[in-house]
Amino acid sequence: MSFKSQFFYFLKPIFWGIIIALVIMYGAKFTDVVGNLLDNDEVSSYSSAVKKASPAVVNIYSQQYIDSSIDNKQHLQPTGLGSGIIVDSKGYILTNFHVVSQADQILIALQDGRLFSAKVVGSDLITDLAVLQIEGNNLPVIPQNLEYSPRVGDVVLAIGNPYNLGQTITQGIISATGRSGMSSSGRQDFLQTDAAINEGNSGGALINSRGELVGINTSEFYANTQSISNGISFAIPYQLSRRIMESLIKDGRVIRGSLGLVAENLDPLLARLWGLKAQNSIIIKAVGKDGPAFTAGVQVNDILLKINNKAVENLVTALDYVAEIKPGTETTLTLLRKGEEIKLPVIIGELNSPTNQ
């Protein structure tokens, strides 16, 4: 027998011995995994996601100075309840503007028992967002992922302090994205969920199954005046909230570009008459006097096709695109007027009213 044959003759049992050892070592673990998958008694849980996110969701207590009829002095009285989210180790907290809009003093209670007095960094009426700040060490920060894009069907958890019961978790799914026109300004691009939202939940966190911030819980939907919830809730997407927060921290306000006009999505029937896709054009309904669009020569019933050669998808995306343009920038509008396509240069103005788009 040659040396080569002898070598492989002795190597063969060693090789198979290693294989058998590996099977013995990892076979039990594999069996446990399969058993867990097949075990009907195994509990499905989002505990890990909650543990990551919940410490950063705070209780917000608003107080106002109230005139006393007893000693003719002003005294602080609790006037509001809400939730907030610590999004930065510097103590920045995101919440809803309506939670703190009437507050003379704002108290922040963390889940670890600490209590802080907060200052308002800035607020934005249009998106109903506010940024607060507290000073403290080792503050919990909620996990964030700007790359995450919410999808219909994603499981979400709402964390907040409803009715001051203490931190509460409710579960649901994202049932729609891009909901607009649900607020007084009509500018939010809401996420719609069926996770229960009640008084005190406003400003709290909507998270995904990884514990990442998905949105800021804002309101429930009421189909009538009886204040009876229909199991539909809305949240402001995290990506939008992040942009607003950064503007408020940097400038103390949100600087938005504006064309100074009122528009709406083009009616599908009218669109077909013009040979257009309804979702890719909007129609001008009013032009503010002496505003950017008025000065540029935009007229009522013009159909807006493009902004800076960027096709208009719908009203919400068009408004968002214009809002991101720095005021004073020259922009080109492509319009359809009486069947003729025209281009008009326009100087972007600054948005100062929810109705001045």
Side-chain angles (χ1 to χ4, degrees):
M1 183 181 294
S2 65
F3 174 79
K4 184 176 181 181
S5 299
Q6 289 179 342
F7 177 77
F8 282 108
Y9 178 78
F10 288 108
L11 183 62
K12 186 176 180 180
I14 296 174
F15 171 77
W16 284 111
I18 293 173
I19 296 297
I20 293 172
L22 290 173
V23 170
I24 293 173
M25 289 173 59
Y26 293 99
K29 293 183 179 180
F30 178 76
T31 302
D32 287 342
V33 171
V34 173
N36 288 335
L37 292 174
L38 298 177
D39 188 355
N40 292 329
D41 294 329
E42 184 70 18
V43 175
S44 178
S45 175
Y46 298 105
S47 176
S48 176
V50 172
K51 286 180 180 178
K52 293 176 183 177
S54 61
V57 181
V58 302
N59 301 346
I60 298 179
Y61 301 96
S62 300
Q63 300 186 98
Q64 273 185 299
Y65 284 107
I66 306 296
D67 291 327
S68 173
S69 59
I70 299 176
D71 56 9
N72 293 321
K73 295 182 180 180
Q74 287 189 325
H75 298 273
L76 279 171
Q77 297 289 336
T79 55
L81 172 69
S83 303
I85 310 155
I86 302 177
V87 293
D88 190 279
S89 59
K90 295 179 180 178
Y92 290 118
I93 295 173
L94 263 174
T95 188
N96 285 137
F97 171 65
H98 73 260
V99 170
V100 298
S101 60
Q102 303 298 321
D104 293 316
Q105 185 181 72
I106 302 169
L107 297 178
I108 304 296
L110 270 62
Q111 304 309 311
D112 60 12
R114 286 184 287 175
L115 189 66
F116 297 90
S117 178
K119 68 175 183 179
V120 178
V121 175
S123 58
D124 182 53
L125 175 62
I126 291 177
T127 54
D128 190 24
L129 287 170
V131 177
L132 314 178
Q133 188 175 25
I134 58 177
E135 294 183 4
N137 298 320
N138 300 317
L139 296 173
V141 177
I142 198 165
Q144 297 158 68
N145 179 9
L146 281 170
E147 300 301 318
Y148 169 72
S149 180
R151 302 168 300 174
V152 173
D154 283 1
V155 172
V156 286
L157 306 171
I159 310 178
N161 180 28
Y163 305 117
N164 202 27
L165 293 173
Q167 193 172 86
T168 303
I169 318 294
T170 56
Q171 181 203 346
I173 64 168
I174 295 176
S175 50
T177 61
R179 287 285 194 240
S180 61
M182 305 305 298
S183 66
S184 59
S185 69
R187 293 298 293 269
Q188 284 100 324
D189 193 10
F190 282 122
L191 299 174
Q192 179 181 314
T193 80
D194 61 351
I197 302 295
N198 297 288
E199 183 180 347
N201 273 110
S202 292
L206 189 72
I207 65 171
N208 60 23
S209 58
R210 295 195 296 254
E212 297 166 343
L213 184 59
V214 174
I216 287 75
N217 297 319
T218 298
S219 64
E220 282 192 293
F221 176 73
Y222 299 96
N224 51 49
T225 58
Q226 302 300 316
S227 296
I228 299 175
S229 172
N230 291 267
I232 298 174
S233 304
F234 298 102
I236 304 169
Y238 165 63
Q239 286 84 352
L240 170 61
S241 302
R242 184 80 190 185
R243 294 201 303 269
I244 299 300
M245 181 186 72
E246 290 173 349
S247 293
L248 291 175
I249 292 173
K250 179 182 177 181
D251 303 311
R253 63 190 181 97
V254 180
I255 301 174
R256 294 181 175 88
S258 170
L259 290 172
L261 51 80
V262 176
E264 63 184 35
N265 290 317
L266 188 61
D267 178 81
L269 178 59
L270 185 59
R272 284 198 294 271
L273 293 176
W274 290 106
L276 300 170
K277 294 182 179 179
Q279 67 271 25
N280 292 329
S281 50
I282 60 178
I283 186 168
I284 310 302
K285 304 301 293 184
V287 180
K289 187 176 181 181
D290 298 326
F294 179 88
T295 303
V298 177
Q299 299 178 9
V300 173
N301 291 326
D302 281 351
I303 296 173
L304 181 59
L305 303 176
K306 297 178 182 178
I307 304 173
N308 271 346
N309 292 320
K310 180 180 177 65
V312 172
E313 295 180 5
N314 53 55
L315 180 59
V316 171
T317 56
L319 293 178
D320 287 345
Y321 181 67
V322 172
E324 293 294 322
I325 301 176
K326 184 179 180 180
T329 303
E330 182 174 302
T331 304
T332 300
L333 304 181
T334 302
L335 304 163
L336 188 66
R337 179 182 297 169
K338 296 180 180 180
E340 181 181 353
E341 189 173 300
I342 61 173
K343 293 181 181 292
L344 295 178
V346 58
I347 304 297
I348 297 295
E350 183 176 346
L351 181 69
N352 52 26
S353 168
T355 59
N356 180 27
Q357 302 167 349

